[in-house]
Amino acid sequence: MKKVSLKDIADSLGVSKALVSLVLNGKGDERGINKNTQERVRVKAKELNYVPNQYARGLRVGRTDTIGVIVPDISNAFYGKLCKAIEQEAYRKGFNLIISNTYEDVQKEKKLITDLINRNIDGLILASSFDNKNELQGLKDNDVPLVLVDRVFEELDIDSVAVSNKEGAEKAVEFLYGLGVKNPVCFSISPVYISSISERIKGYLSAVKDVDKAKLFQIPHDRIQEGVNLALSELRGTDFDGIFCVNNSIAKAILKASSTQNDLFEHVKIVSFDDIEIFDLVNPKISSIAQPIDEIGTSAVSMLIDRMENKETHTIEKRILETTLIER
Amino acid sequence: MKKVSLKDIADSLGVSKALVSLVLNGKGDERGINKNTQERVRVKAKELNYVPNQYARGLRVGRTDTIGVIVPDISNAFYGKLCKAIEQEAYRKGFNLIISNTYEDVQKEKKLITDLINRNIDGLILASSFDNKNELQGLKDNDVPLVLVDRVFEELDIDSVAVSNKEGAEKAVEFLYGLGVKNPVCFSISPVYISSISERIKGYLSAVKDVDKAKLFQIPHDRIQEGVNLALSELRGTDFDGIFCVNNSIAKAILKASSTQNDLFEHVKIVSFDDIEIFDLVNPKISSIAQPIDEIGTSAVSMLIDRMENKETHTIEKRILETTLIER
DNA sequence: CTGAAAGCGCTTACAG
DNA sequence: CTGAAAGCGCTTACAG
């Protein structure tokens, strides 16, 4: 049961492959091919259940209509929604997606990037875990259209979409003060070199009133619950009364901890980066800094397509979107 | 800046493309190619930053090492985790994934399937929204290796992986009775023709003691909150004292509703299909029927690869995995 | 030990 | 209005 090819259609109709190709690609009129012939081709193609071989086509025209997407972890609510937004926009514009996760593993990220390039993707949307901008420089040299999302590299000339992380964090901390909080601490996640995280930390440090009393916890990303529990036991008995969480994973771990040590949170206000639906359902109340996820995804796709379509011209754009405070 | 091809390496070394191809595919020793020549080829390939063109390769060998995955919605916790499990196993075995969402849109599902076939995927993992098995029959005729996950079609001879939905639902309802519940109702989701959902409903109906008092709500999948609110207001004042939710989306809507009408839930026990992390963090307590998501994903991938490797032989396998009751 | 050649299925100048 | 031919970059018998 071999697949049907252009030649099969051509032979059974007594015309050339070229003609069939032209008709099926909608260039029949433009090339003045007999209406009747065109119709016969289309009918026969349908009858034989013809499916063009995209590999042959890709080889010939050098385009694959496929976009690669690499994120840390698609099962994280933020990246899940981001991928959904990217997928919808890409689909609308006729592109398929190859999605992969790095789980913050730099080696895996390197391998994935090579894999995707091997597969001749037309472009790449990347939320990178790299600590080193040199890795990306290589990618850029490779001439693959690239847009960074969520996590960016200031020093590199690469298109990117992200939110104003520092300002968002400042907004969060100021909100805590507004609620009467005196000593807000920051629960951050490591690795800290990720731009989004480091910016949020900067925001905390810049907004905190008494820098000497500022407290910053670095929770390892692969042992979040453990780290959060540790931090909380360290804080117990001190005069902290507010927590700024740099992302939703931290906030979830705090929620989990709160189920066994509810007392600790009676007089503690919490605000977290990332708005996730859980926050609507739980106690203690967690306010949040919401990111415009759909807009991030849509922007990333359209910037990437722009970049693909006119590679040479076109200056670098580093788009920064605003966050929204959601009070609870 | 053209991409480097086999020919470039061959020319610059004064050997043939064939030799370069052989060496780079690790067949140098097997074909007895001079160790020294092999080394020169590898060094040169690295130096020129050679990346093989997978489209040319795919065209030639008829394999793409790519698996298509179609799910209703990757931003749903269940499918997000399922995709993660699939991705990890596929990556381990050297395959990439093309992931797409249908959002329960049958037309989109049809188009996506055609798209993926056009892209010459080696196989497809599908959680289908089809109400009609004929759609899938077409796919099967097309000879694309296929494994159904989560949602299956009893009547079709297609490999599949799912859990024992009916038994899981029975377990859930029996658990409610064990807690002293007298009148458990069922919150289901429509469309009801989805196998997983219909099986869970069957389970509820078979486990419920007083069939005359059994109550089944069909909540439309695209207006869940609204439907749940409506159902709850209908139930208010009746003697219902237990809810079985057919999936996590329903349970989340109930949680949301509970924040404004907490009183309603004081004497109502809840159990839901799908175990999601929120359940650890909220009130009212929600027990759950957990699915072995990782195992579903891993099984799907290995069954698919099996199927790809020996298409003709190999009988159909409909794998059913067990669920676990998680009491809260 | 190595090379020349065919061919995967398509698209696109070119020719008539 | 239509066809013959080249060529995208690779792999794999075949020949020596």
Side-chain angles (χ1 to χ4, degrees), chain A residues 177-275:
Chain A
Y177 283 126
L179 293 177
V181 165
K182 299 279 180 248
N183 296 307
V185 302
C186 175
F187 276 42
S188 172
I189 198 159
S190 71
V192 150
Y193 50 73
I194 305 289
S195 68
S196 52
I197 303 301
S198 69
E199 288 298 309
R200 292 172 199 174
I201 294 176
K202 277 187 206 156
Y204 165 74
L205 292 174
S206 101
V208 87
K209 286 177 182 163
D210 187 349
V211 179
D212 293 339
K213 294 201 71 173
K215 252 197 193 123
L216 179 61
F217 294 90
Q218 312 260 7
I219 319 274
H221 75 89
D222 50 356
R223 308 175 78 177
I224 294 183
Q225 193 62 54
E226 210 176 321
V228 163
N229 292 346
L230 206 67
L232 288 175
S233 63
E234 188 176 321
L235 283 172
R236 183 173 282 278
T238 71
D239 61 353
F240 88 108
D241 54 357
I243 304 180
F244 166 57
C245 310
V246 297
N247 73 6
N248 72 63
S249 304
I250 297 278
K252 281 195 290 193
I254 289 183
L255 281 172
K256 183 116 187 185
S258 81
S259 62
T260 57
Q261 34 190 324
N262 221 324
D263 63 306
L264 194 57
F265 293 93
E266 268 163 32
H267 304 291
V268 174
K269 307 290 184 193
I270 308 177
V271 58
S272 172
F273 227 94
D274 294 344
D275 188 58

Side-chain angles (χ1 to χ4, degrees), chain B residues 215-245:
Chain B
K215 251 194 193 126
L216 180 62
F217 294 90
Q218 312 261 6
I219 320 273
H221 75 88
D222 50 355
R223 308 174 77 179
I224 293 183
Q225 192 63 53
E226 210 176 321
V228 163
N229 292 344
L230 206 68
L232 287 176
S233 63
E234 189 176 318
L235 283 172
R236 183 174 282 278
T238 71
D239 60 354
F240 90 106
D241 54 357
I243 304 180
F244 166 56
C245 309

Side-chain angles (χ1 to χ4, degrees), chain B residues 12 38 63 80 82 87 112 115 138 162 164 191 215 252 273 309-310 313 327-328:
Chain B
S12 78
Q38 290 196 44
R63 212 162 27 78
L82 181 59
E87 199 258 359
L112 283 174
D115 274 7
S164 50
K215 251 194 193 126
K252 280 195 291 193
F273 227 95
E309 283 172 354
N310 36 94
T313 61
E327 308 187 16
R328 289 195 183 84

Side-chain angles (χ1 to χ4, degrees), chain A residues 87-122:
Chain A
E87 199 259 359
Q88 299 206 69
E89 181 70 7
Y91 176 77
R92 222 173 56 75
K93 299 207 166 154
F95 289 83
N96 276 69
L97 251 45
I98 299 187
I99 300 177
S100 306
N101 304 301
T102 63
Y103 310 114
E104 312 287 0
D105 177 340
V106 174
Q107 292 311 319
K108 189 176 177 200
E109 182 164 335
K110 274 193 216 180
K111 180 166 177 338
L112 284 174
I113 290 175
T114 318
D115 274 7
L116 290 177
I117 294 177
N118 281 5
R119 275 155 209 281
N120 293 21
I121 51 168
D122 293 338

